[in-house]
Amino acid sequence: MSKKNMNFMNLILAVGLGLIFLGFVLILCFAGSLPPFSSLILPDGLFIAGFANLYYFLAFKKSPFRLFLSISLSMCGVFASLLVYGVLPLSIKELWPLFIIITSAALFVSGRYNGGSFAISYDFPAVALFILGGLYLLFSLGIIKVPFKTLALMSCPIVLIAAGLFLIILFLRRKALLEILPEEISDAFNKDEEDEDCE
């Protein structure tokens, strides 16, 4: 594809994403009461950052991490907008753990991008964040009456054991570890392994 056609296709993509954003904002304006402009900065900023990452993902570099950023930021922006516009009956004070759950879902989906059924570098953090977000949600909604400090102290050994198991699994699956490290570090590890094989 020529550079002129590629630029035109990127423009079409950018305009399409912009129209989706504007349509979403208009839906929210009609659905709830219009909040002050200053309270719109965070949700709209998250939404725009998510769409910018989605544009970069679709137009240039298709990596699971870029997909994670675009899904996570966009969905957190949508959720924050629903809270700010008053579409949801509860406040951000009660529903803030849903941001963690949304991030876990984005991690899980982006781990499936390369067609794999199990990507430990994405799945383990996704499950951990989902459990953590669900636990925080139970506390913030007042369903669990035990003080959070007490529960945190009691669950600390379990968290340490789970973190240790995760590190051992990553050690055994070095390839998964190399996927989550920056490229220059993973290249250095690969070079070290090749040098050891030659000796």
Side-chain angles (χ1 to χ4, degrees), residues 28-43:
L28 288 176
C29 285
F30 296 134
S33 61
L34 194 60
F37 178 74
S38 61
S39 64
L40 296 176
I41 293 173
L42 175 66

Side-chain angles (χ1 to χ4, degrees), residues 83-154:
L83 289 172
V84 167
Y85 280 97
V87 176
L88 296 176
L90 298 173
S91 70
I92 197 166
K93 185 178 179 182
E94 289 104 10
L95 295 179
W96 69 267
L98 286 176
F99 287 108
I100 298 172
I101 294 171
I102 290 169
T103 302
S104 73
L107 266 173
F108 187 77
V109 169
S110 60
R112 302 290 160 294
Y113 172 69
N114 289 334
S117 60
F118 182 72
I120 192 164
S121 56
Y122 287 93
D123 290 346
F124 186 81
V127 169
L129 284 174
F130 184 81
I131 292 170
L132 195 63
L135 186 65
Y136 287 151
L137 187 63
L138 293 174
F139 276 103
S140 69
L141 292 176
I143 295 171
I144 295 179
K145 304 290 184 199
V146 177
F148 181 74
K149 181 179 176 182
T150 305
L151 188 68
L153 288 174
M154 290 173 23

